[in-house]
């Protein structure tokens, strides 16, 4: 596996792959890999000849007071894990490489990026779209794999890619969970023992909502009341949002439909965790 740190080298490598007739799959990440990341890498490997994983903690997608400075990092371990997952290139640009000058340009996906995480983290998706757009230009991938755990990010990137004719196929990967249902996340490493126990409330709330929906409960307000009941019993958990939206438009719904998605963002202590699931998926 090659480690590439400059945009020029990355660009040249991608051109050499195109010249050799090879397809390139990109997996954008912020590092501190877990089994979810590795599964995205393997999926990219099944769908393309060469896999590039980018590892960049993107400052412009963090708001003031968020965890940019303390975001977990372990490059040596990440390197070993990526290598074992069949990755061809780990692209690790520094912040000055990605932003040699303070960037003035942003990509905004206006409507899809406005609610849910976009509401609680103003400017977050502009930062995500801008860096993903830069990575698409630097790596020129044929496809890019994103996790459904960040389902709004996936929706926003799909729309950006279509709107701007990027010609990159966007592939969605299912959520990878711990054995007790907690969605894997680099941020889970922040949780204390008691917080880790409480954090399962996200998945427990999802399971309950899906059971009720499968049994015929169609009233969104009643489902959300059940979800809130499960989460708010924990003193160390605070709901940032709990919404049921249509999975493509992300518009809030009053009644459950075939594409209803339960989307959750909570604070467990100071750690922000998100999760989501289709309510009626078999
Ligand atoms: P991150 O490093 O957290 O920015 O995540 C990089 C990519 O991995 C994103 O596309 C995430 O949606 C995806 N991802 C992170 N955690 C999971 C998970 N538990 N299951 C599936 N995909 C994930």
């Amino acid at each position: 596996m090659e480690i590439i740190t400059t945009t020029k080298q990355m660009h040249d490598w991608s051109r050499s792959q195109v010249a050799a007739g090879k397809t390139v799959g990109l997996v954008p990440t912020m590092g501190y890999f877990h089994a979810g990341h590795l599964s995205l890498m393997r999926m990219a490997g099944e769908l393309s000849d060469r896999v590039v994983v980018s590892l960049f903690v993107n400052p412009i997608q963090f708001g003031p007071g968020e965890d940019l400075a303390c975001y977990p990092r372990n490059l040596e371990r990440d390197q070993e894990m990526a290598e074992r997952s069949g990755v061809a290139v780990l692209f690790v640009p520094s912040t000055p490489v990605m932003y040699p000058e303070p960037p003035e340009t942003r990509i905004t996906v206006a409507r899809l990026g406005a609610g849910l995480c976009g509401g609680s983290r103003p400017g977050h998706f502009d930062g995500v779209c801008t860096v993903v757009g830069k990575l698409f230009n630097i790596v020129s991938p044929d496809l890019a794999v994103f996790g459904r755990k960040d389902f709004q990010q996936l929706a926003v990137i799909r729309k950006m890619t279509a709107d701007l004719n990027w010609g990159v196929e966007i592939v969605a990967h299912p959520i990878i969970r711990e054995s007790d249902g907690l969605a894997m996340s680099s941020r889970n490493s922040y949780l204390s023992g008691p917080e880790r126990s409480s954090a399962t409330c996200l998945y427990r709330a999802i399971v309950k909502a899906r059971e009720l929906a499968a049994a015929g409960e169609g009233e969104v307000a009643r489902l959300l009341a059940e979800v809130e009941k499960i989460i708010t019993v924990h003193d160390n958990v605070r709901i940032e949002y709990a919404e049921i939206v249509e999975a493509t438009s992300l518009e809030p719904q009053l009644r459950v439909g075939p594409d209803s998605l339960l989307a959750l963002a909570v604070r467990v202590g100071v750690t922000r965790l998100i999760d989501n699931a289709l309510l009626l998926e078999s």
Side-chain angles (χ1 to χ4, degrees):
M1 186 180 76
E2 265 186 75
I3 309 284
I4 294 184
T5 57
T6 71
T7 51
K8 165 97 175 67
Q9 276 174 300
M10 190 65 248
H11 202 68
D12 290 349
W13 182 89
S14 288
R15 282 170 67 130
S16 72
Q17 299 306 313
V18 174
K22 303 294 183 194
T23 58
V24 173
L26 172 66
V27 183
T29 79
M30 299 204 300
Y32 211 70
F33 296 149
H34 50 67
H37 292 114
L38 304 188
S39 190
L40 266 68
M41 294 175 202
R42 283 194 298 274
M43 183 183 235
E46 283 158 19
L47 299 173
S48 57
D49 299 320
R50 300 278 186 269
V51 176
V52 175
V53 173
S54 61
L55 193 171
F56 180 59
V57 182
N58 175 35
I60 70 167
Q61 72 187 64
F62 287 79
E66 290 188 355
D67 57 343
L68 172 63
C70 62
Y71 195 83
R73 294 162 213 249
N74 189 339
L75 181 57
E76 206 175 308
R77 178 170 155 275
D78 284 352
Q79 233 169 277
E80 285 165 16
M81 290 169 86
E83 179 131 40
R84 282 203 301 273
S85 305
V87 170
V89 170
L90 190 61
F91 178 46
V92 195
S94 65
T95 301
V97 163
M98 284 301 268
Y99 302 111
E101 293 175 25
E104 292 184 40
T105 306
R106 292 287 189 281
I107 301 176
T108 300
V109 177
R111 194 183 50 76
L112 284 176
L116 302 170
C117 290
S120 39
R121 304 183 71 188
H124 169 68
F125 288 117
D126 292 1
V128 168
C129 287
T130 304
V131 82
V132 170
K134 284 165 72 73
L135 289 168
F136 283 1
N137 285 338
I138 297 164
V139 178
S140 303
D142 296 277
L143 62 89
V145 183
F146 293 88
R148 284 194 200 279
K149 194 197 139 224
D150 300 88
F151 77 95
Q152 189 180 13
Q153 169 173 281
L154 179 63
V156 160
I157 285 169
R158 272 194 204 289
K159 183 74 175 125
M160 167 189 89
T161 307
D163 283 352
L164 298 179
N165 299 83
W166 241 301
V168 177
E169 183 192 346
I170 305 300
V171 179
H173 187 291
I175 300 177
I176 302 295
R177 299 180 177 282
E178 301 287 356
S179 54
D180 61 4
L182 178 66
M184 290 191 183
S185 166
S186 307
R187 289 191 168 101
N188 292 348
S189 64
Y190 295 144
L191 300 171
S192 67
E195 288 170 350
R196 175 64 185 77
S197 307
S198 302
T200 58
C201 69
L202 285 165
Y203 187 63
R204 286 185 281 115
I206 284 174
V207 170
K208 180 71 178 176
R210 279 170 54 89
E211 276 172 13
L212 292 171
E217 177 58 81
E219 199 69 48
V220 160
R222 276 210 287 268
L223 287 171
L224 289 179
E226 290 297 321
V227 162
E228 282 164 23
K229 228 193 277 172
I230 291 171
I231 297 176
T232 53
V233 294
H234 299 280
D235 290 339
N236 53 3
V237 184
R238 184 170 56 77
I239 295 178
E240 209 166 87
Y241 65 73
E243 288 192 41
I244 292 174
V245 298
E246 200 279 323
T248 312
S249 67
L250 306 186
E251 293 294 338
Q253 295 181 307
L254 295 174
R255 301 272 318 161
V256 173
D259 295 321
S260 290
L261 183 108
L262 171 62
L264 301 172
V266 303
R267 293 271 174 183
V268 184
V270 294
T271 303
R272 187 175 186 278
L273 300 180
I274 58 173
D275 205 342
N276 71 89
L278 288 169
L279 285 176
L280 293 173
E281 193 180 38
S282 52

